Amino acid sequence: ARPSMARFIAHRGEYRAEVAAAAQLLLGRATLGISDKRVSRGQLRLSASPNCSQLTAANVGVNSIGIRRAASADIAPLRKGASTSLTAADLPATVYLSQRAEDKEWLYPLQLDAAPEQSIAAGAAAGSEEAAAEAAEAAA
């Protein structure tokens, strides 16, 4: 059985990075071009399992982050030192890197998604028209 995903993509505005199988990525204020000091220089560690069946998001910063999974309208807080695993069913997901104290609004969304394999068919097979469209744009 082939893994369902070849790699994961994290993107926010102009920033875009891939997390390959068994790899890790540390994201924070400088990496993402955020000046707000509530976002740590190392706020979020993403690690992909060896077969890319899941992506682990770990809050390695000082303040809480929030995660919204694909099928949910709710944003679940993830405290300092905590981590959670995301599977294909949870993607696309949004990680919010900070929360405003005054009104509890979540800030600085970072999108997490499965990277389609080279062909457009892979994106469509994953059930994501958006992934297929991205693959088509990348191929053009």
Side-chain angles (χ1 to χ4, degrees):
R2 279 174 50 230
S4 55
M5 298 166 275
R7 58 200 187 285
F8 299 95
I9 298 176
H11 58 100
R12 175 180 157 73
E14 295 295 303
Y15 177 85
R16 184 179 180 91
E18 292 188 357
V19 188
Q24 286 192 12
L25 180 64
L26 182 65
L27 299 172
R29 197 165 65 221
T31 330
L32 299 169
I34 297 168
S35 57
D36 189 331
K37 298 274 196 272
R38 289 174 297 194
V39 178
S40 299
R41 283 184 287 264
Q43 181 71 51
L44 174 68
R45 186 178 62 237
L46 298 172
S47 2
S49 61
N51 66 355
C52 266
S53 62
Q54 68 179 24
L55 181 68
T56 300
N59 181 0
V60 292
V62 174
N63 295 310
S64 291
I65 60 175
I67 297 185
R68 175 184 284 145
R69 295 166 192 264
S72 177
D74 298 327
I75 299 172
L78 196 62
R79 310 228 173 278
K80 174 184 178 179
S83 64
T84 189
S85 293
L86 303 165
T87 63
D90 297 316
L91 299 173
T94 306
V95 176
Y96 295 89
L97 297 168
S98 184
Q99 189 177 31
R100 198 166 35 222
E102 307 83 66
D103 59 7
K104 301 295 184 200
E105 184 179 343
W106 289 101
L107 308 169
Y108 313 115
L110 172 77
Q111 304 302 318
L112 300 178
D113 212 341
E117 293 182 52
Q118 285 72 32
S119 71
I120 295 166
S128 169
E129 290 173 23
E130 199 173 295
E134 279 183 18
E137 280 177 31

